[in-house]
Amino acid sequence: MKEFNISTDQLALLSLKSQIISDPFHFLDESWSPVCHWVGDTCDSRHQGVRFLDFFNMDLLGVIPHELGNLTYLVSLDLGSNKFHGNLPQEMAHFHWLKVLDLSFNSFSGRFPLGLGFYTNFKY
């Protein structure tokens, strides 16, 4: 099994940032290092990783990369009220700790990642 840590999480978030083609309010212009001080994320020292990712209503346009699935300790993912589109990556099924998922008011297409539907409190 792969070992996940802050470096893995940083690569996942940098991949996400690289797939965002429009950030009209410049929310993501802030320094993206170190990983636990980025806009929209919250880390947990116990699990050594990103636990919360909140990009709600930032008017971001882009796609969700498969590397986002490497945020294995994620508890809450809020991408609601943006302009994300395309397929949700199957790797999102790796979110075993996820309790809250808000993908509402985006333009996703395709199938919901197999295995992700076992969780509760989702809005999509």
Side-chain angles (χ1 to χ4, degrees), residues 7-54:
S7 295
T8 303
D9 288 4
Q10 184 170 5
L11 291 173
L13 293 176
L14 286 171
S15 181
L16 175 61
K17 185 179 181 187
S18 76
Q19 296 300 309
I20 294 173
I21 59 174
S22 178
D23 176 14
F25 299 108
H26 306 284
F27 288 114
L28 304 181
D29 284 353
E30 300 294 318
S31 170
W32 279 65
S33 184
V35 66
C36 293
H37 293 100
W38 296 355
V39 171
D41 82 4
T42 304
C43 292
D44 179 329
S45 60
R46 178 174 171 236
H47 293 97
Q48 296 297 311
V50 175
R51 300 283 283 168
F52 301 91
L53 194 57
D54 183 0

Side-chain angles (χ1 to χ4, degrees), residues 9 11-13 15-16 53 55 64-72 74 77 79 89 91-92 94-95:
D9 288 4
L11 291 173
L13 293 176
S15 181
L16 175 61
L53 194 57
F55 288 168
I64 306 302
H66 67 90
E67 291 88 354
L68 197 70
N70 289 336
L71 299 176
T72 55
L74 204 60
L77 176 61
L79 302 176
E91 289 81 1
M92 288 176 66
H94 299 163
F95 296 153

